[in-house]
Amino acid sequence: MSKARVSKWRVLVALMFAFILAYVAFVLWRALVPAEWEFSIEAETEVAEINLRPQARTQWQVDGVVLCARGGLELADEFQMSPSTSPCGSRAWRAYHVPAPEQVLELDGGASVVLNRLPEGGLAMSLRAPEGASLGTFSVIGVVDDIPLGEAANLIWTEIPAQSLTFPFSGSTTLGRAVGWSNVGMLRAGTVSIYTADESADKRTLVDETNLMLGDQIRLGDSEGGASWPKGFARIAATEDVMRAVAFGRADRLRIDRYGESGYELKPGRLRKLASDPAIAFFGSLLAAYMTLILALQPFVDSEFRSFRKWIRGKD
């Protein structure tokens, strides 16, 4: 075999070592770069707080509700409850109940929502608008349309309708509440799953999973929302004494507060991060294929390869 072929072989092997060094540097760089993950939460909780995404309207069906408002609403007197039967808790709130079905709540963006499962089996929803804004409107199909709600309202179900209540949302989410003598509602149990943040859902890979404990408080998203606001829904069934909530969104970490601890941020470790990185897997497979090719060609340059090994050790 000619010296030219030996020279080409030396170049190919030298390139292999160069690619290995470049790949190691790439892996180290990817380990240091912050990564985003797709978090998915399924929880059973007695309380949930949602800050709805600004500049986006939210519609919920609220059949069977008692609507508590300060200063009154533009509803007929026949729909106003007497103070003796009002569940609103204070004379500062006027209670309204419309027996007709298909009651719709339409909230403007940025509203703050707190859902509390009541010990006696009902549900309370607290609605607060951002400063200087209004909550939205309340309608009953075929009865009244677009009644303004003002800046604050409370919604109360003394019992849950048979068809259950479901509230889909987009906004930062807090499930559970810090354990304390004055806080009755808390998160009971749940699961957090962490996936790779691929654009296509069918390409996402499960990276890690952890269980939530009784009394945990978990937050997904913040007031700014970032590039992607969390989404999810809360479901309240008449046959259950707890609220089921599902939330998912993209973030680099997730905050969990646990009783007796200072809380911690949940995110995959660096080894799991690297193992689930598609770029590392792609370039690693290319490097492995190149190394396999080099090793497969070795028998054809046997004598020249021995000379090359002497050369690379400085024995030539």
Side-chain angles (χ1 to χ4, degrees):
M1 189 174 287
S2 66
K3 292 183 178 180
R5 290 188 178 181
V6 175
S7 178
K8 289 180 180 179
W9 177 257
R10 291 174 178 176
V11 171
L12 291 175
V13 177
L15 282 175
M16 182 182 70
F17 286 110
F19 289 152
I20 291 174
L21 291 176
Y23 182 72
V24 171
F26 176 73
V27 171
L28 292 176
W29 174 71
R30 295 291 288 183
L32 297 175
V33 173
E36 284 199 331
W37 307 96
E38 194 76 28
F39 288 92
S40 177
I41 306 170
E42 295 185 38
E44 296 180 356
T45 182
E46 297 164 351
V47 58
E49 181 175 349
I50 307 158
N51 292 314
L52 296 176
R53 181 164 62 96
Q55 301 174 344
R57 296 181 71 83
T58 301
Q59 284 189 332
W60 290 336
Q61 188 165 348
V62 292
D63 292 0
V65 72
V66 174
L67 182 57
C68 306
R70 287 196 179 109
L73 296 176
E74 298 174 7
L75 285 169
D77 291 342
E78 62 181 293
F79 299 133
Q80 185 170 343
M81 301 175 66
S82 66
S84 60
T85 58
S86 169
C88 296
S90 169
R91 291 184 177 273
W93 297 88
R94 295 186 184 180
Y96 296 87
H97 176 65
V98 183
E102 297 188 68
Q103 302 178 33
V104 178
L105 188 70
E106 188 165 358
L107 299 174
D108 295 335
S112 174
V113 182
V114 179
L115 298 169
N116 278 284
R117 199 71 162 92
L118 300 177
E120 57 271 19
L123 177 74
M125 177 189 293
S126 171
L127 303 172
R128 300 294 182 268
E131 186 175 356
S134 61
L135 280 171
T137 60
F138 172 75
S139 302
V140 181
I141 305 302
V143 181
V144 293
D145 294 320
D146 300 331
I147 302 297
L149 290 175
E151 297 180 357
N154 293 330
L155 280 66
I156 297 175
W157 287 263
T158 53
E159 58 182 35
I160 305 302
Q163 72 271 23
S164 77
L165 297 168
T166 303
F167 304 119
F169 61 83
S170 175
S172 59
T173 310
T174 302
L175 302 178
R177 185 167 286 166
V179 177
W181 66 271
S182 61
N183 293 334
V184 178
M186 63 178 64
L187 185 144
R188 293 191 185 179
T191 303
V192 181
S193 302
I194 308 174
Y195 297 88
T196 54
D198 295 293
E199 293 298 329
S200 178
D202 60 351
K203 294 181 181 179
R204 291 175 187 155
T205 303
L206 180 64
V207 178
D208 201 358
E209 195 172 66
T210 188
N211 293 324
L212 298 173
M213 296 175 57
L214 176 68
D216 281 353
Q217 183 183 57
I218 186 167
R219 299 181 181 92
L220 180 60
D222 53 36
S223 58
E224 300 300 324
S228 175
W229 285 85
K231 296 180 180 180
F233 64 89
R235 183 179 184 276
I236 302 94
T239 56
E240 299 175 336
D241 63 347
V242 71
M243 173 170 41
R244 296 184 181 273
V246 172
F248 54 92
R250 186 172 296 188
D252 62 344
R253 64 196 67 196
L254 188 146
R255 176 77 181 180
I256 297 178
D257 292 318
R258 181 161 291 170
Y259 181 71
E261 300 179 4
S262 58
Y264 66 96
E265 293 178 335
L266 177 64
K267 62 178 181 178
R270 288 189 176 178
L271 290 179
R272 286 184 179 270
K273 173 185 174 182
L274 296 177
S276 59
D277 192 321
I280 290 178
F282 175 73
F283 290 113
S285 62
L286 291 181
L287 178 59
Y290 183 77
M291 293 175 65
T292 301
L293 178 63
I294 294 297
L295 294 175
L297 292 175
Q298 179 181 345
F300 298 98
V301 287
D302 190 26
S303 59
E304 290 81 1
F305 188 73
R306 285 196 296 269
S307 300
F308 174 74
R309 285 192 300 178
K310 290 181 181 180
W311 168 78
I312 204 171
R313 292 173 183 172
K315 295 182 179 181
D316 286 349

